[in-house]
Amino acid sequence: VQLQASGGGLVQAGGSLRLSCAASVRTLGRYVMGWFRQAPGKEREFVAAIGWSVSSTSYADSVKGRFTISRDNAKNTVYLQMNSLKPEDTAVYYCAVGRPPMTTMELANYWGQGTQVTVSS
């Protein structure tokens, strides 16, 4: 499985960005899709995940109410809509595919290459 992430960039605090990640497989079956992030000097951390049933979502407390994860199963693509961005959201964002609930790195089986998100104050 290859994952191709896009949509990162530079935005001012309070702004929005939308990340996308497409999986190059015929079908992802029941895999969970999601996002992690890693800020400079920090460990990679969970951001959000979504199950095959799009009603099953999980979020890190730090992004609840600001970020929304969604997926298009027909396109094997996961999205992360990020609103009200803060400087502390600055990080490299990695998409991942893995086993439920995929709220820890150990449950991720495949990783994308990462996309940089920078939020200026």
Side-chain angles (χ1 to χ4, degrees), residues 31-32 35-36 43-47 49 95-111:
Y31 275 120
V32 172
W35 297 89
F36 291 75
E43 293 185 351
R44 194 172 298 186
E45 63 177 6
F46 169 74
V47 176
C95 63
V97 169
R99 296 156 286 158
M102 206 179 70
T103 53
T104 62
M105 290 178 56
E106 290 74 22
L107 293 176
N109 295 99
Y110 305 99
W111 294 93

Side-chain angles (χ1 to χ4, degrees), residues 72-107:
D72 185 333
N73 289 329
K75 297 181 179 179
N76 288 330
T77 299
V78 62
Y79 306 95
L80 187 68
Q81 178 66 43
M82 305 184 294
N83 298 329
S84 302
L85 282 162
K86 305 175 181 180
E88 50 264 43
D89 294 318
T90 295
V92 177
Y93 283 70
Y94 297 89
C95 63
V97 169
R99 296 156 286 158
M102 206 179 70
T103 53
T104 62
M105 290 178 56
E106 290 74 22
L107 293 176

Side-chain angles (χ1 to χ4, degrees), residues 25-71:
V25 291
R26 182 175 179 182
T27 178
L28 283 172
R30 301 290 174 169
Y31 275 120
V32 172
M33 302 184 77
W35 297 89
F36 291 75
R37 68 185 181 185
Q38 188 167 17
K42 295 187 177 181
E43 293 185 351
R44 194 172 298 186
E45 63 177 6
F46 169 74
V47 176
I50 185 167
W52 173 263
S53 169
V54 296
S55 62
S56 175
T57 58
S58 300
Y59 295 94
D61 288 342
S62 58
V63 307
K64 280 181 181 177
R66 299 188 299 122
F67 291 10
T68 301
I69 190 168
S70 60
R71 70 189 278 177

